Amino acid sequence: MIVRFGLQFLIPALALALLLAPPAAQASEPAEVAQKRSDLEEVKRRIADLRKEIADTEETRSGAAAELAAAERAVSQAQRQLHALAAERATTEKSLAILEAEQEAVEARIAARQTELGEWLRRHYVHGAGGGVAPFLSSRDANQFARDAHYLEHLGRARLALIESLRGDLRQKAELGESIAGRRDRLVALEAQQRAQHATLESMQARRKQALEGISRQLLSQRKEEETLRQDQQRLGRLVEVLARRAAEREAARVAALAAAREAAARAAARAAAEKRADAVGGAPSTPRSRSEAVVGEVRQAAEATPTGVSFAQLRGKMRFPVRGELVGRFGAPRAEGGTTWRGVFIRASGGAEVRAVAAGEIVFSDWLRGYGNLIIVDHGSDYLSIYGNNDALLKELGDVIAGGDPIASVGASGGASESGLYFEIRYRGQPVDPLQWVRLN
């Protein structure tokens, strides 16, 4: 049974319970701060790892730069060798020109001597073996004969010398030809070898230069990433400071509100005790839900699903009552038994009927409370509560998240009620409001 002091005692007690269990918005802020701190630590770890990567990249870059320098020195040395070979080739070409001139002179001598020898052979062939000496032998003078014989001896030796000289010229020509060919072959081979080496070194230089450029780009990208991470770290640090400060401010406000609620609860408990003593003297109060209460209207349609993402305030005038039945009492009107006014409404309904939530929210109270029996309270956010009392059974527990139209209890007569039905209230910032301004009758 609902006594006159029940409503006065309920709200401070509920405020105390809600403050002891902070709402989701207050509880989530420390978790958000912790998450941001974790993100900040992760950014710091990434910066440390990146700095190590930058150091490794710089070391690699130094090695690549050293290799490139060695390659460039090798290319320079090969280029010098090519220049030296070119100079040697020019000198050799001059020497070859001299040798070729000598070879031409030898060839001229050979030709002249061949001509002379050919003329001698021709005369020898025309006049016979003795054709050249017969006139000398026909002389009868002994002295003349001796002189002719001496002359013939000199003539024979001259012819032999001519032949030997011709042979020497031919040998010299062959030697000069071999020397020229050998020097030319050597120069061609050396030049080809040096050019191949130079091409290899240039290719190596190009690869190492490309590798160095790639490492430099990587290093530049890493440094840019480090700068971005440092900026992220600064922004996260500032955000963590703001969140931590706000969390501390809200915690201080919650503690102050908790103290005020405790004080209000103590005052309400004192008043309730005084009223209880007065009731004991004058007799127990009559039930506020007797047949003497006027029927305001009939609820023919119970609560249904409400749109998601819509606030409780936006649902004003669009919601339906939690259960079908007769609506008893009018908000703000005096109760039939006197002494108090209606802060909610009572809906006469059959026992066991489903009690549905008028809108989405979170269960913040689900327990038995003196004067209200099995009571369930839903927090809809933005300081709005809906209260469902005198239930037979509570189907939801503390902390459950529900949608509009979900069954949360079953109709009963708990708490000392004289008939089965549902006591229903809507409160904003702890103060009761007229349900008929929020919930459609039909």
Side-chain angles (χ1 to χ4, degrees):
M1 180 179 64
I2 300 178
V3 296
R4 286 176 297 183
F5 59 86
L7 288 175
Q8 297 173 352
F9 178 75
L10 171 64
I11 298 307
L14 290 177
L16 180 60
L18 291 174
L19 288 170
L20 287 174
Q26 295 175 353
S28 64
E29 285 183 352
E32 184 181 5
V33 173
Q35 179 62 42
K36 295 302 180 183
R37 290 189 189 278
S38 176
D39 294 342
L40 182 59
E41 292 301 322
E42 179 62 28
V43 171
K44 289 180 179 179
R45 285 194 295 271
R46 176 58 186 147
I47 289 176
D49 293 341
L50 189 58
R51 284 175 177 168
K52 184 177 182 303
E53 292 175 8
I54 289 175
D56 295 340
T57 304
E58 287 179 341
E59 184 177 355
T60 305
R61 183 187 181 189
S62 299
E67 292 178 356
L68 178 60
E72 289 177 347
R73 284 194 294 269
V75 168
S76 176
Q77 183 179 1
Q79 193 69 29
R80 286 197 302 272
Q81 290 176 350
L82 281 175
H83 282 295
L85 283 174
E88 182 181 353
R89 182 175 182 178
T91 302
T92 303
E93 290 292 343
K94 291 180 181 179
S95 300
L96 289 177
I98 295 173
L99 289 176
E100 287 175 348
E102 292 178 0
Q103 187 181 36
E104 290 177 358
V106 169
E107 288 176 350
R109 288 200 305 272
I110 290 173
R113 287 169 181 172
Q114 284 177 340
T115 301
E116 182 181 355
L117 184 59
E119 182 62 26
W120 180 78
L121 290 174
R122 187 185 65 78
R123 287 197 307 271
H124 181 75
Y125 175 77
V126 171
H127 298 289
V133 297
F136 297 101
L137 296 177
S138 61
S139 176
R140 297 182 180 273
D141 187 353
N143 292 329
Q144 185 62 38
F145 181 79
R147 286 195 295 275
D148 291 341
H150 182 70
Y151 173 75
L152 288 173
E153 182 181 356
H154 280 285
L155 182 60
R157 283 200 297 270
R159 287 175 177 172
L160 288 174
L162 176 61
I163 292 172
E164 289 298 326
S165 177
L166 181 60
R167 287 175 178 171
D169 289 342
L170 290 172
R171 284 194 301 271
Q172 184 179 3
K173 177 183 178 181
E175 290 172 356
L176 287 173
E178 291 177 358
S179 177
I180 290 171
R183 288 195 177 187
R184 280 181 174 163
D185 291 344
R186 177 176 175 275
L187 280 176
V188 169
L190 283 175
E191 189 172 6
Q193 180 181 357
Q194 287 300 318
R195 290 192 182 280
Q197 182 180 3
H198 185 263
T200 301
L201 290 173
E202 283 186 335
S203 175
M204 182 185 302
Q205 179 188 15
R207 288 196 303 271
R208 289 179 177 172
K209 184 177 181 180
Q210 184 177 6
L212 181 60
E213 290 174 352
I215 294 173
S216 298
R217 287 193 298 269
Q218 179 185 356
L219 187 60
L220 179 62
S221 175
Q222 288 174 336
R223 285 174 175 166
K224 286 182 179 178
E225 184 180 356
E226 182 188 15
E227 178 63 25
T228 301
L229 287 174
R230 278 202 299 268
Q231 293 174 359
D232 291 345
Q233 178 184 0
Q234 293 172 358
R235 283 193 294 268
L236 275 175
R238 291 193 295 269
L239 178 59
V240 167
E241 291 175 0
V242 171
L243 291 175
R245 186 169 60 252
R246 289 179 179 175
E249 291 171 354
R250 294 197 180 188
E251 178 63 18
R254 190 185 74 84
V255 171
L258 177 61
R262 284 174 176 167
E263 183 179 353
R267 289 196 300 268
R271 288 196 301 270
E275 291 180 3
K276 184 177 180 182
R277 287 193 296 272
D279 289 340
V281 174
S286 61
T287 173
R289 291 183 293 277
S290 65
R291 290 291 179 180
S292 60
E293 292 285 358
V295 176
V296 177
E298 183 180 359
V299 179
R300 293 192 296 270
Q301 189 172 355
E304 298 175 344
T306 54
T308 58
V310 178
S311 67
F312 188 83
Q314 291 174 315
L315 295 173
R316 181 169 182 165
K318 301 176 183 179
M319 297 177 286
R320 296 189 182 275
F321 279 97
V323 67
R324 291 192 299 270
E326 291 181 342
L327 194 64
V328 174
R330 184 178 296 277
F331 179 81
R335 290 179 178 270
E337 74 276 8
T340 61
T341 58
W342 283 99
R343 295 191 176 188
V345 294
F346 183 77
I347 305 170
R348 291 191 184 107
S350 301
E354 284 186 343
V355 177
R356 298 179 178 271
V358 296
E362 180 182 352
I363 304 299
V364 294
F365 188 89
S366 180
D367 203 348
W368 189 91
L369 186 68
R370 182 176 179 270
Y372 293 89
N374 291 320
L375 179 69
I376 194 162
I377 301 177
V378 180
D379 183 358
H380 302 287
S382 302
D383 297 323
Y384 286 100
L385 301 174
S386 58
I387 301 172
Y388 311 78
N390 303 117
N391 298 288
D392 178 58
L394 304 177
L395 306 181
K396 298 295 181 180
E397 296 180 350
L398 180 66
D400 286 349
V401 177
I402 60 170
D406 282 356
I408 57 174
S410 60
V411 173
S414 62
S418 60
E419 56 184 332
S420 67
L422 174 72
Y423 178 75
F424 177 67
E425 281 189 21
I426 295 178
R427 292 195 174 238
Y428 176 63
R429 293 183 177 174
Q431 298 300 318
V433 296
D434 186 358
L436 288 174
Q437 293 182 0
W438 287 82
V439 183
R440 291 189 296 171
L441 187 59
N442 288 301

